Amino acid sequence: MYRIIRMIGLSAFLLFTLSIYGGLGSLDADERTTWSEQWKVETSHGQETVTVLWVNLSNPKVEIESALADKVIGKTTTLEKLVQSQTDSEGLAVAGINGTFFNAYDDFQPTGTVIRYGEVEHIGNSGSVGVMNAAGQFTVEPLFIAIEGGINDQWEWPNNWYAWNKNHFYTDPLASMVFDASYQGPKPTHSFTGIVVEAGVVKTIQKGIFTIPGDGFLILTQDKTIIDKFKVGYKAAYRMKGYVNAYGTGKHTDEAIDLSQLRTAFGAGPTLVRDGKIVVNPTGEGFTEAKITVNSATRSL
């Protein structure tokens, strides 16, 4: 399988994988998996040369997948090394491109949504999200992901709880966070209460810890109403729910998006063109920084 990769910054990326049956050179034009072209494009700043990568998504030998540096959240490497690291006995990595944004100037944590092989690795509820479903179809969605927690198999009040994000550390004392073994980002000294859930059972409740079990997850929170819900020995779990994003509000609409149908996703944006029409609206997708809303720069798309 050849792999093509969608990069998430320099810490993760989208991976395209292609099955190898005789090699690229033996493919007829209608069987091609990937090919590239150089284009001259006229812009308001003059003529630019761009490299265009084409991917034949109808070819069953093609697989597109998000990927992470060292397969964890919080690590970084070069784009070239990210692509090279994805070649294995099952596939050949042939291309990659930057994916979601990440904190390039301090802790290298991603800021956008990352789903790999159907598993939500990180949530970022601003910007558009590129999605590959189980059938290999690609769409761009206004995806919002919410974390819903439950205790002793109960998901309604008073046994429900919530978290802001998965695998992202916040210093904000109002934050509630969930971490699993994929997280290798910053683990600073903190004043949050840690709730360690291993094999579905609460094992430890202790202030200041940052212990992430291999078979479970860690909750960090200072919210007393959440902390008081947990007792050592209780069962605990969380689930992800997908909705249509109500950009700019920090909330979502009531319209659901079925996460079980999403194999791969990477949050970036803003969307530039839809159905042949320019629709770019970074502010409307929740972006506030000038580098996204007004500044010119070299971009990948």
Side-chain angles (χ1 to χ4, degrees):
M1 187 162 273
Y2 305 126
R3 283 197 172 132
I4 305 151
I5 299 124
R6 170 72 191 181
M7 309 300 174
I8 314 282
L10 292 183
S11 62
F13 59 94
L14 181 71
L15 167 68
F16 299 76
T17 61
L18 312 173
S19 302
I20 301 175
Y21 299 111
L24 283 170
S26 66
L27 298 175
D28 295 330
D30 60 350
E31 294 179 315
R32 287 187 299 178
T33 50
T34 65
W35 62 100
S36 62
E37 298 173 348
Q38 293 284 316
W39 285 9
K40 297 290 186 180
V41 179
E42 296 295 335
T43 76
S44 57
H45 296 279
Q47 189 179 80
E48 301 286 348
T49 301
V50 298
T51 299
V52 181
L53 172 69
W54 293 95
V55 183
N56 182 4
L57 296 183
S58 65
N59 191 313
K61 301 170 186 177
V62 176
E63 180 181 274
I64 297 181
E65 186 60 66
S66 298
L68 302 164
D70 293 337
K71 300 181 180 180
V72 297
I73 296 288
K75 295 290 186 70
T76 62
T77 187
T78 66
L79 185 63
E80 181 180 14
K81 288 181 178 178
L82 276 170
V83 177
Q84 292 173 346
S85 69
Q86 300 304 306
T87 292
D88 55 29
S89 60
E90 295 182 354
L92 170 67
V94 297
I97 187 171
N98 288 337
T100 193
F101 301 100
F102 71 108
N103 299 332
Y105 306 112
D106 45 47
D107 58 21
F108 305 120
Q109 295 188 97
T111 60
T113 293
V114 182
I115 298 178
R116 298 175 63 240
Y117 298 105
E119 177 73 17
V120 176
E121 301 278 10
H122 186 271
I123 299 170
N125 288 323
S126 63
S128 302
V129 180
V131 168
M132 292 293 297
N133 65 20
Q137 298 170 317
F138 177 81
T139 57
V140 177
E141 305 289 348
L143 177 62
F144 185 105
I145 299 178
I147 299 176
E148 301 178 355
I151 296 173
N152 291 330
D153 300 321
Q154 302 296 312
W155 298 88
E156 304 297 332
W157 188 88
N159 296 302
N160 62 320
W161 54 276
Y162 72 95
W164 282 16
N165 204 336
K166 178 180 177 181
N167 292 330
H168 194 108
F169 180 78
Y170 298 92
T171 58
D172 189 331
L174 298 178
S176 294
M177 304 156 271
V178 170
F179 302 88
D180 67 12
S182 294
Y183 181 74
Q184 294 295 324
K187 297 179 180 179
T189 301
H190 63 83
S191 57
F192 294 93
T193 293
I195 302 166
V196 178
V197 180
E198 189 171 357
V201 177
V202 177
K203 297 294 185 181
T204 306
I205 302 175
Q206 183 178 332
K207 188 174 182 178
I209 61 173
F210 216 129
T211 305
I212 304 174
D215 180 21
F217 58 94
L218 168 71
I219 305 167
L220 291 184
T221 185
Q222 293 189 45
D223 189 331
K224 191 173 186 299
T225 61
I226 292 179
I227 297 169
D228 288 347
K229 294 173 183 284
F230 291 89
K231 303 293 181 185
V232 172
Y234 278 13
K235 293 193 292 183
Y238 67 90
R239 60 193 181 189
M240 307 288 190
K241 290 291 188 69
Y243 299 93
V244 171
N245 206 323
Y247 288 120
T249 67
K251 299 179 181 179
H252 56 79
T253 71
D254 292 331
E255 185 177 352
I257 294 178
D258 187 357
L259 295 181
S260 69
Q261 298 301 308
L262 308 186
R263 195 196 72 222
T264 300
F266 50 92
T271 296
L272 305 181
V273 176
R274 182 183 296 113
D275 297 329
K277 298 179 181 180
I278 296 174
V279 297
V280 61
N281 183 8
T283 303
E285 290 193 19
F287 292 99
T288 58
E289 293 188 3
K291 65 171 62 177
I292 304 300
T293 59
V294 296
N295 291 353
S296 297
T298 300
R299 316 279 188 181
S300 55
L301 56 91

